[in-house]
């Protein structure tokens, strides 16, 4: 494109007669804006390019790998002492490109030792995390660690050297484990005493018919070795959750004979552990869309007197990252069939004490489980486990593959909400295995988001809540003292975790779905993310890139403002101007971005006759502008203008969101007709023709492209593109073309 400014100045340089500039520019005072489009739309949101393991498009790369951990677990429960004694046989497969001389494992029960790091950071005012004041001998007791086999060579139960550091255990291998498929099999014998309230994730609840044991983080589990950080060995401090490898599980649980046991996975020996009537009902539940009572309160009472005998419940779970279970003599158990989109079936179960029974409470739990699993299976990805079990425990709500623990006191909408939320976690992070220890928003936030859709879907909106008012929550989401969502929960104030890990990311995805991408594009991209990263380990970049590539938008401005930073958002409407001061000819409306975060523009424009029109402008109006003026083709006076009328954006300042005819600024339009015409200078071979185009003065100079002039004062106009200013005389018979602070050239209107 030709440079207008250079061409014009070259011609002007031939003109030797000039005089000093005497006209003065005036600058109107205006409200200060903190918006900088250079920051909002800065390049290079991604700090690295795609790799062989992670594509730039957000897909797993052609060379993507992840390691595998298969577990054979046997455990015995001592009901009186709350002790679990177990054996953990792990087969670990090293699919990475690196050889290994040692392994890292999580010993999460060590959080409950007196000298743990997690206990050290519990404030004196209390916390959800840790053992919550209980005094007991907590932590894993490792009795032995033995190597059974390495790279298919038996080593005869060789005692392994190991080192325990807080909630991690490092095992030193007798020989190097090969890359790209090397395997090591080893056995850990251990025991621990279950805490009563273990960081609100595992515990023991006393009921009138016996203790309820909700058992989780109970066995030594492999740390993840990945292509991002190598070994992920962040300690378990209570707030941040888990990051685990996938594999198959074989679980045998020996408990008192009057207990009912529920566990992640499929029960392999139901005929051996249920009574004949219980076994019959168990099979009926598998075929029934209505809830079937499997083990009633009468059965609980009949089996209440314990004896010294035990039963072993045998479960199997494939392609999962974890396994948890619950055991109690107090369990009422009911179930129903889950219908999956492919035609496959699964089983919904609910286990709860007599205190939780009733149709207003846990009597509807299985109905909730069934709907939740069926709904998410249709929307995102089919449920992959054979059973989905809801357990009433003393946890507020906690999720594991195929099984969740929810508060035993929950009822009605509260029980629906916690059940649906915890089972939503079977998609995030049980199937889409993100690193919860670092990025809680990738599981809690995504799950909270899909919950907003299921609330509408369930039973014709029985528990549907009000649409979130983003104006009310704007300061909560973007206040200055808030950490960013990209922070680990361990780096957040406990009071901020609910906002940063749950509600803020969920609100952001609602905005992205409803206001930026639209439902079709968003749902397709989000579903693609789930499919791409099912049973794999995505990072934030993998999510961001997938949403952009499938959705077809560069969303760096959105990720940067909402996820990476706590930028605030504030749009305002400044003034209007009727074209040629005549409302019948349309109106120019000026809006401004006052804070760091850009968003699209939504406004309602109401005219004097009562007609309201909705206008939407894309976020691109802010790509290179702090203030934006646009023409609206109204044919009558404007009564009011309201920005973000439905409160879908987190606008922190509502006071500048509206303009009304009785109080708002109506600027006078400059009538351009007197300035139009042809102008010349007798000493220069230049003809300047000024016309009106798009409500502005349009300038044509001989042999140069056209440019427009914007008013900057009385009879004073400027073109920044051409680098020129035009000062007209009062009777509009001529103007001075101002080239620089010391040069001006007079032109006279041709007759």
């Amino acid at each position: 494109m030709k440079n207008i400014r250079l061409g014009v100045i070259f011609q002007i340089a031939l003109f030797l007669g000039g005089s000093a500039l005497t006209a003065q520019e005036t600058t109107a005072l205006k409200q200060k804006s903190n918006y900088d489009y250079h920051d909002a739309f800065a390049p290079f949101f991604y700090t690295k390019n795609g790799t062989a393991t992670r594509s730039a498009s957000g897909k797993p790369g052609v060379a993507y790998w992840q390691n595998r951990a298969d577990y054979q677990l046997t455990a015995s429960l001592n009901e009186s002492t709350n002790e679990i004694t177990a054996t953990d046989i792990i087969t670990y497969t090293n699919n990475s490109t690196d050889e290994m001389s040692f392994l890292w494992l999580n010993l999460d029960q060590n959080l409950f030792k007196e000298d743990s790091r997690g206990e050290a950071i519990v404030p004196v005012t209390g916390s959800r995390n840790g053992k919550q004041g209980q005094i007991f001998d907590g932590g894993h007791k490792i009795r032995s660690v033995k190597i059974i086999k390495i790279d298919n060579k038996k080593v005869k139960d060789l005692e392994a050297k190991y080192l325990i550091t807080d909630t991690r255990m490092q095992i030193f291998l007798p020989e190097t484990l090969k890359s790209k498929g090397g395997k090591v099999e080893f056995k850990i014998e251990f025991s621990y005493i279950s805490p009563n309230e273990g960081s609100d994730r595992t515990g023991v609840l006393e009921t009138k018919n016996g203790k309820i044991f909700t058992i989780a983080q109970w066995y030594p589990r492999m740390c993840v070795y990945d292509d991002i950080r190598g070994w992920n060995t962040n300690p378990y401090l209570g707030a941040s959750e888990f990051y685990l490898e996938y594999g198959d599980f074989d679980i045998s649980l020996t408990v008192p004979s009057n207990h009912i046991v529920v566990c992640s996975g499929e029960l392999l020996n139901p005929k051996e552990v249920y009574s004949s009537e219980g076994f019959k009902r168990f099979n009926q539940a598998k075929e029934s869309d209505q809830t079937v009572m499997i083990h009633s309160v009468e059965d609980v009472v009949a089996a209440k007197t314990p004896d010294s005998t035990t039963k072993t419940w045998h479960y199997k779970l494939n392609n999962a990252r974890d396994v948890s279970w619950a055991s109690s003599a107090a369990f009422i158990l009911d179930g129903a069939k889950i219908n999956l989109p492919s035609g496959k079936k699964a089983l919904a179960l609910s286990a709860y004490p007599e205190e939780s029974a009733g149709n207003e409470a846990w009597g509807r739990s299985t109905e909730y489980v069934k709907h939740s699993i069926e709904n998410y299976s249709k929307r995102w990805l089919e449920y992959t486990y054979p059973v989905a079990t809801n357990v009433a425990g003393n946890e507020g709500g906690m999720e594991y593959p195929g099984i969740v623990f929810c508060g035993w006191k929950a009822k009605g909408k509260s029980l629906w909400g916690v059940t649906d939320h915890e089972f939503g976690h079977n998609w995030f992070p049980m199937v889409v295995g993100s690193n919860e220890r670092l990025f809680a928003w990738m599981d809690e936030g995504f799950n909270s988001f899909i919950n907003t859709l299921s609330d509408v879907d369930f039973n014709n909106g029985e528990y549907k809540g009000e649409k979130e008012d983003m104006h009310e929550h704007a300061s909560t989401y973007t206040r200055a003292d808030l950490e960013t969502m990209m922070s680990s929960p361990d780096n957040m104030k406990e009071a901020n975790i609910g906002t940063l890990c749950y509600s803020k990311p969920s609100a952001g995805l609602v905005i992205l779905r409803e206001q930026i991408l639209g439902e079709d594009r968003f749902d397709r991209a989000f579903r693609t993310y789930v499919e791409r990263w099912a049973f794999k380990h995505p990072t934030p970049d993998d999510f961001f890139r997938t949403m952009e590539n499938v959705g077809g938008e560069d969303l760096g401005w959105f990720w940067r403002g909402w996820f990476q930073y706590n930028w605030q958002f504030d749009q305002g409407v400044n003034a209007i101007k009727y074209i040629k001061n005549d409302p019948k000819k349309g109106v120019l409306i000026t809006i401004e971005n006052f804070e760091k975060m850009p968003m699209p523009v939504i406004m309602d424009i109401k005219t004097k006759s009562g007609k309201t029109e909705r206008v939407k402008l894309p976020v691109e109006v802010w790509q290179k502008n702090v203030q934006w003026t646009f023409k609206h083709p109204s044919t009558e006076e404007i009564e009011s203008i309201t920005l973000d009328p439905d409160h879908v954006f987190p606008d922190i300042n509502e006071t500048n969101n509206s303009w009304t005819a009785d109080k708002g600024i109506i600027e006078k339009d400059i009538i351009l007709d007197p300035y139009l015409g042809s102008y010349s200078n007798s000493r220069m071979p230049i003809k300047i023709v000024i016309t009106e185009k798009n409500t502005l003065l349009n300038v044509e100079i001989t042999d140069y492209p056209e440019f427009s002039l914007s008013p900057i004062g009385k009879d004073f106009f400027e073109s920044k593109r051409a680098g020129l200013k035009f000062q007209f005389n009062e009777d509009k018979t001529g103007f001075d073309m101002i080239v620089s602070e010391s040069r001006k050239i007079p032109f006279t209107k041709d007759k």
Side-chain angles (χ1 to χ4, degrees):
M1 181 179 289
K2 187 180 289 186
N3 189 310
I4 299 173
R5 177 178 169 82
L6 290 179
V8 174
I9 291 176
F10 176 76
Q11 290 282 0
I12 292 165
L14 300 176
F15 180 68
L16 301 178
S19 58
L21 176 64
T22 58
Q24 293 184 345
E25 297 182 42
T26 58
T27 302
L29 293 175
K30 58 174 289 186
Q31 182 181 346
K32 184 181 183 302
S33 173
N34 293 320
Y35 180 62
D36 187 338
Y37 53 81
H38 298 100
D39 292 339
F41 292 93
F44 310 121
F45 171 74
Y46 298 106
T47 59
K48 55 185 179 295
N49 296 327
T51 66
T53 54
R54 295 174 191 270
S55 166
S57 71
K59 293 180 180 180
V62 292
Y64 178 82
W65 56 263
Q66 70 186 43
N67 292 346
R68 178 183 177 91
D70 297 298
Y71 297 86
Q72 183 179 343
L73 298 163
T74 58
S76 297
L77 171 64
N78 186 320
E79 184 176 25
S80 61
T81 64
N82 299 349
E83 185 174 29
I84 293 164
T85 303
T87 300
D88 181 3
I89 298 176
I90 302 175
T91 301
Y92 183 70
T93 305
N94 176 24
N95 293 317
S96 80
T97 54
D98 302 323
E99 294 182 340
M100 295 180 174
S101 59
F102 57 83
L103 309 174
W104 278 103
L105 287 83
N106 296 293
L107 298 181
D108 294 324
Q109 285 297 319
N110 282 1
L111 171 65
F112 308 113
K113 295 181 69 172
E114 288 292 338
D115 61 350
S116 76
R117 295 186 189 184
E119 280 298 317
I121 63 173
V122 172
V124 294
T125 53
S127 170
R128 175 188 178 187
N129 304 314
K131 56 188 180 181
Q132 301 184 38
Q134 181 185 0
I135 299 175
F136 74 111
D137 185 17
H140 276 114
K141 307 294 188 295
I142 304 298
R143 298 181 177 179
S144 68
V145 179
K146 296 179 180 179
I147 308 295
I148 300 172
K149 191 185 298 182
I150 187 164
D151 286 331
N152 294 318
K153 293 183 292 184
K154 291 185 178 180
V155 291
K156 299 181 180 178
D157 287 356
L158 178 68
E159 291 282 351
K161 181 181 177 182
Y162 63 89
L163 177 67
I164 295 175
T165 306
D166 196 53
T167 59
R168 290 76 45 85
M169 177 167 67
Q170 188 176 24
I171 297 177
F172 300 95
L173 300 176
E175 60 182 78
T176 300
L177 183 63
K178 294 177 181 177
S179 62
K180 299 181 179 180
K183 289 188 178 183
V184 58
E185 184 179 341
F186 58 100
K187 177 172 65 175
I188 302 174
E189 294 179 318
F190 68 96
S191 65
Y192 76 94
I193 296 173
S194 175
N196 291 334
E197 298 176 89
S199 273
D200 203 15
R201 306 188 193 284
T202 181
V204 183
L205 172 66
E206 295 275 2
T207 75
K208 70 177 184 179
N209 292 320
K211 297 176 181 177
I212 292 178
F213 295 87
T214 42
I215 305 301
Q217 293 86 60
W218 61 283
Y219 59 99
R221 304 179 293 177
M222 293 301 305
C223 293
V224 172
Y225 188 87
D226 63 23
D227 60 310
I228 304 299
R229 304 177 77 218
W231 285 110
N232 286 259
T233 58
N234 296 65
Y236 178 42
L237 301 176
S240 292
E241 292 183 320
F242 312 106
Y243 186 34
L244 302 165
E245 296 287 16
Y246 289 91
D248 295 340
F249 293 81
D250 187 289
I251 315 106
S252 295
L253 305 167
T254 301
V255 301
S257 57
N258 63 341
H259 277 219
I260 294 291
V261 174
V262 287
C263 180
S264 303
E266 180 182 7
L267 179 61
L268 299 183
N269 61 338
K271 194 170 184 179
E272 297 174 17
V273 292
Y274 287 122
S275 66
S276 57
E277 184 62 26
F279 178 63
K280 177 182 175 182
R281 296 172 187 165
F282 180 74
N283 288 328
Q284 287 175 346
K286 291 181 178 180
E287 304 300 325
S288 174
D289 284 313
Q290 303 302 315
T291 300
V292 173
M293 184 59 67
I294 299 169
H295 192 74
S296 68
V297 66
E298 291 78 16
D299 296 325
V300 170
V301 173
K304 189 173 181 180
T305 303
D307 57 33
S308 58
T309 61
T310 61
K311 287 182 180 178
T312 298
W313 298 64
H314 188 191
Y315 283 88
K316 186 172 184 179
L317 179 66
N318 292 332
N319 201 20
R321 52 173 248 161
D322 197 8
V323 64
S324 295
W325 53 285
S327 181
S328 180
F331 274 154
I332 297 169
L333 185 70
D334 61 40
K337 176 180 63 173
I338 296 172
N339 302 294
L340 300 173
S342 67
K344 293 181 180 179
K345 311 297 179 186
L347 177 63
L349 292 175
S350 295
Y352 51 93
E354 183 179 353
E355 293 92 326
S356 303
N359 201 47
E360 298 302 313
W362 278 75
R364 292 188 69 185
S365 168
T366 292
E367 175 193 355
Y368 300 156
V369 175
K370 173 181 169 66
H371 184 277
S372 183
I373 298 297
E374 290 177 349
N375 186 43
Y376 291 138
S377 293
K378 291 175 185 176
R379 277 193 177 273
W380 310 120
L381 185 76
E382 185 164 292
Y383 186 70
T384 59
Y385 302 121
V387 181
T389 304
N390 197 11
V391 180
N394 60 359
E395 299 80 9
M398 188 58 201
E399 70 280 358
Y400 304 96
I403 190 170
V404 303
F405 305 155
C406 295
W408 67 277
K409 294 181 180 180
K411 296 180 179 181
K413 184 176 182 178
S414 171
L415 181 58
W416 155 255
V418 68
T419 299
D420 185 59
H421 178 82
E422 303 311 337
F423 275 111
H425 275 304
N426 267 279
W427 282 262
F428 310 101
M430 304 309 159
V431 169
V432 183
S434 58
N435 187 343
E436 299 175 275
R437 194 66 54 92
L438 298 182
F439 306 111
W441 61 270
M442 294 185 72
D443 70 291
E444 297 294 356
F446 289 177
N447 186 30
S448 296
F449 162 70
I450 65 175
N451 298 158
T452 65
L453 304 178
S454 59
D455 282 349
V456 176
D457 295 337
F458 176 69
N459 200 22
N460 297 315
E462 178 181 357
Y463 297 130
K464 176 184 175 182
E466 293 294 323
K467 197 81 171 174
E468 183 174 15
D469 187 325
M470 289 297 290
H471 290 195
E472 289 183 359
H473 296 152
S475 60
T476 300
Y477 290 152
T478 60
R479 68 180 195 270
D481 66 334
L482 200 64
E483 304 90 351
T484 68
M485 283 198 298
M486 298 295 282
S487 303
S488 162
D490 290 328
N491 297 118
M492 297 174 184
K493 293 285 189 183
E494 190 169 340
N496 294 341
I497 288 176
T499 296
L500 291 170
C501 301
Y502 294 74
S503 57
K504 182 174 180 179
S506 172
L509 295 185
V510 170
I511 292 171
L512 188 60
R513 182 177 190 259
E514 297 182 359
Q515 310 305 329
I516 299 172
L517 289 180
E519 292 183 7
D520 288 345
R521 282 202 295 166
F522 178 94
D523 288 357
R524 184 177 297 107
F526 199 66
R527 192 178 298 114
T528 300
Y529 168 72
V530 174
E531 292 168 351
R532 284 178 173 181
W533 291 97
F535 306 105
K536 297 181 178 69
H537 296 313
T539 66
D541 272 10
D542 298 319
F543 171 68
F544 296 149
R545 290 175 184 272
T546 294
M547 295 304 292
E548 290 187 2
N549 276 260
V550 181
E553 293 288 343
D554 180 351
L555 297 168
W557 61 272
F558 182 72
W559 311 132
R560 185 177 288 114
W562 195 250
F563 287 79
Q564 190 175 25
Y565 300 110
N566 284 327
W567 284 351
Q568 294 188 324
F569 168 75
D570 178 23
Q571 287 178 357
V573 53
N574 291 343
I576 71 168
K577 180 194 296 182
Y578 294 114
I579 295 173
K580 296 188 181 299
N581 303 311
D582 183 354
K584 295 180 180 179
K585 295 182 178 179
V587 63
L588 297 175
I589 300 173
T590 300
I591 56 177
E592 187 162 355
N593 215 20
F594 290 104
E595 288 295 345
K596 296 283 289 182
M597 182 78 180
M599 284 286 183
V601 180
I602 302 174
M603 68 173 66
D604 279 349
I605 303 173
K606 184 179 179 181
T607 60
K608 288 285 188 180
S609 65
K611 179 183 177 182
T612 299
E613 290 187 67
R614 178 152 294 188
V615 172
K616 295 185 177 182
L617 301 175
V619 73
E620 282 81 3
V621 300
W622 307 118
Q623 272 190 320
K624 52 183 177 291
N625 304 292
V626 174
Q627 182 173 286
W628 183 250
T629 299
F630 68 98
K631 180 181 178 181
H632 179 65
S634 59
T635 57
E636 58 175 313
E637 288 185 59
I638 305 299
E639 176 66 28
S640 65
I641 301 170
T642 305
L643 285 172
D644 192 18
D646 298 330
H647 294 196
V648 297
F649 296 127
D651 199 310
I652 63 163
N653 178 20
E654 285 188 335
T655 62
N656 58 13
N657 279 33
S658 60
W659 180 97
T660 56
D662 58 336
K663 296 180 181 178
I665 297 173
I666 302 178
E667 297 177 343
K668 286 292 185 182
D669 194 16
I670 299 174
I671 304 301
L672 300 178
D673 295 2
Y675 303 102
L676 309 183
S678 176
Y679 296 81
S680 59
N681 181 296
S682 61
R683 298 178 60 189
M684 296 186 68
I686 293 177
K687 178 78 71 174
I688 297 180
V689 179
I690 298 180
T691 58
E692 183 176 350
K693 187 175 183 181
N694 296 326
T695 74
L696 296 174
L697 291 180
N698 187 69
V699 178
E700 296 178 62
I701 300 178
T702 307
D703 294 331
Y704 292 98
E706 301 176 13
F707 58 89
S708 60
L709 296 174
S710 299
I712 57 173
K714 186 178 186 304
D715 297 329
F716 201 12
F717 299 83
E718 177 184 33
S719 171
K720 289 186 177 180
R721 181 182 170 205
L724 298 172
K725 296 176 182 177
F726 291 67
Q727 177 69 68
F728 286 83
N729 56 30
E730 191 169 350
D731 59 6
K732 317 299 188 293
T733 59
F735 61 78
D736 288 333
M737 184 167 71
I738 301 164
V739 181
S740 67
E741 292 184 1
S742 60
R743 275 251 194 253
K744 65 179 181 180
I745 306 169
F747 283 82
T748 303
K749 184 180 286 188
D750 297 336
K751 294 182 180 179

